Amino acid sequence: MFVTTHTIVASTIAIKTGNPYIYLPFAAVDHFALDTVPHFGGKWAGKNFKVLTALDATFGIGLFLILARYTKFSILILFAVCLLAGWPDLILAYQKFINPKRLKKFGEFHAGIQKSESFPGIIIEVAIVLVCLLLIFV
Ligand SMILES: [Zn+2]
């Protein structure tokens, strides 16, 4: 699942609840629940992984800046929420681009829970992002 999807879900919970006792623990663990939902990724990313990662980062940062600008939520807390929501994929990027031998067990666990990856999964991810944006701004 794209980091953008993870971070927008956690940001939505944070913005809508406003309660750090809810949104901080949620952001820290929801990644693993969301990765079990059908989504894009895995072999479907294939040799385009670097390009997709760059696009994902661009969209994620863009959405973060929009939320920071157009909501009354603290930019620092929003950043912390996004880090909490995306940390497993940051470890994945570290393993793919820097050191594949580090944190191997975690990598196996993270890959193992993603059983529903498909190309059409991108539609589900786009739908999740749109629903979150509607919940935040409408
Ligand atoms: Zn993940």
Side-chain angles (χ1 to χ4, degrees):
M1 180 171 274
F2 291 112
V3 176
T4 300
T5 311
H6 287 293
T7 56
I8 193 74
V9 169
S11 297
T12 303
I13 299 297
I15 291 166
K16 296 311 280 185
T17 66
N19 183 339
Y21 294 107
I22 294 172
Y23 65 71
L24 290 175
F26 180 87
V29 299
D30 79 321
H31 190 105
F32 302 106
L34 285 171
D35 271 349
T36 65
V37 171
H39 63 275
F40 182 83
K43 69 178 180 182
W44 301 96
K47 55 188 167 195
N48 297 321
F49 185 80
K50 285 184 180 178
V51 173
L52 289 169
T53 300
L55 284 172
D56 187 18
T58 303
F59 277 114
I61 291 168
L63 278 177
F64 170 77
L65 292 174
I66 288 170
L67 295 181
R69 170 69 179 86
Y70 294 105
T71 68
K72 293 185 164 97
F73 215 75
S74 158
I75 189 169
L76 287 177
I77 294 175
L78 202 56
F79 185 71
V81 166
C82 290
L83 271 183
L84 281 172
W87 71 267
D89 286 347
L90 292 176
I91 290 176
L92 178 71
Y94 171 79
Q95 290 173 318
K96 287 237 183 209
F97 298 131
I98 297 172
N99 189 345
K101 293 179 180 162
R102 296 288 313 267
L103 304 163
K104 234 179 166 174
K105 289 277 180 209
F106 178 79
E108 289 168 8
F109 165 75
H110 192 199
I113 61 173
Q114 312 202 39
K115 299 194 185 308
S116 307
E117 293 175 317
S118 66
F119 186 76
I122 198 164
I123 295 167
I124 293 169
E125 294 205 50
V126 170
I128 291 171
V129 171
L130 291 176
V131 167
C132 287
L133 290 174
L134 284 173
L135 287 170
I136 292 171
F137 290 112
V138 177

